[in-house]
Amino acid sequence: MNEQYPSVLLEKAVSEFAKLPGIGRKTAMRLVLHLLRQEREAVEAFAGAVVTLKHEAKFCKVCHNISDTETCRICSNPQRDASTVCVVENIRDVMAVEATQQYRGLYHVLGGVISPIDGIGPGDLQIESLVERVKAGGINEVILALSTTMEGDTTNFYIYRKLEPLGVKLSVIARGIAVGDELEYADEVTLGRSIVNRTPFTGSL
Ligand SMILES: [Zn+2]
């Protein structure tokens, strides 16, 4: 036990919080002390939400977005335009695009981008299932909305090579965003505009 901590329970709790991304030990300590001051019910609700999320959350079998049901709310909404699919890296990107209220199509969540340096290849991402979706028919346009990093460009190009022979229209979101910015950090207005002003993807890097 670290002598700095008056209690092993406290130290354990701080260690767990400190494992979260962006949370250092100081912040972890602040959060733990905050929870300790709360009513028992509030803390149980907090812990319960985390455990229930892990036990019950599913990933949509169509788009791989997080979902409470087999098919997510977006995919199963008949008001959405099922002929357009927006390809994003992660679930936060879906939320960012939804927040713009400029997009009525469906999504495809890749789960990342191709990054040889991190050991992430096409097989680690939901690319094959995207190809299968397009092959199944009914999709007229695939919008590439990945980050403007080298990895994002590489992934765009890989997808282009896979989808181009299938005759689907491929477009890429317009870039009001500085190169290297990740999609989730773009403000809603800029992101909304870049979706509306998307351009055909020609495969030129
Ligand atoms: Zn879905």
Side-chain angles (χ1 to χ4, degrees):
M1 181 189 161
N2 191 331
E3 295 280 311
Q4 183 191 344
Y5 291 88
S7 145
V8 180
L9 294 175
L10 179 69
E11 186 183 1
K12 263 186 112 170
V14 170
S15 295
E16 289 304 319
F17 273 88
K19 287 177 190 167
L20 297 171
I23 307 286
R25 289 194 81 85
K26 265 188 183 166
T27 306
M29 176 62 100
R30 196 158 52 79
L31 294 172
V32 167
L33 293 178
H34 170 81
L35 283 173
L36 208 49
R37 283 194 300 270
Q38 306 306 303
E39 297 292 341
R40 187 190 190 107
E41 292 73 28
V43 178
E44 282 172 358
F46 174 85
V50 176
V51 173
T52 308
L53 174 75
K54 188 59 194 172
H55 284 172
E56 294 179 19
K58 300 173 183 69
F59 293 93
C60 174
K61 66 177 179 0
V62 180
C63 72
H64 315 291
N65 192 10
I66 197 163
S67 174
D68 296 343
T69 46
E70 280 239 315
T71 308
C72 77
R73 267 192 259 180
I74 295 173
C75 287
S76 52
N77 181 353
Q79 312 281 6
R80 307 279 311 208
D81 169 17
S83 71
T84 308
V85 171
C86 180
V87 178
V88 294
E89 284 169 42
N90 56 49
I91 288 151
R92 287 169 299 175
D93 295 336
V94 173
M95 294 173 73
V97 175
E98 283 297 287
T100 69
Q101 302 187 323
Q102 297 291 319
Y103 180 69
R104 297 298 301 161
L106 305 183
Y107 293 92
H108 195 87
V109 182
L110 291 182
V113 279
I114 296 169
S115 177
I117 213 162
D118 300 312
I120 303 169
D124 300 310
L125 306 170
Q126 294 290 350
I127 295 178
E128 216 34 59
S129 64
L130 172 66
V131 175
E132 291 307 314
R133 261 180 101 177
V134 173
K135 275 185 183 163
I139 296 171
N140 297 327
E141 183 182 5
V142 171
I143 303 168
L144 301 167
L146 306 180
S147 51
T148 52
T149 55
M150 202 168 75
E151 291 79 10
D153 289 343
T154 303
T155 311
N156 278 343
F157 194 69
Y158 184 87
I159 293 172
Y160 165 79
R161 294 284 297 272
K162 286 274 181 181
L163 295 184
E164 211 261 325
L166 302 177
V168 70
K169 183 179 167 193
L170 266 173
S171 51
V172 65
I173 63 167
R175 294 301 187 181
I177 312 164
V179 172
D181 277 2
E182 288 187 47
L183 192 61
E184 59 177 303
Y185 298 127
D187 71 85
E188 286 165 22
V189 177
T190 310
L191 182 56
R193 215 180 282 143
S194 70
I195 293 164
V196 172
N197 299 328
R198 60 187 181 268
T199 53
F201 187 79
T202 56
S204 52
L205 285 173

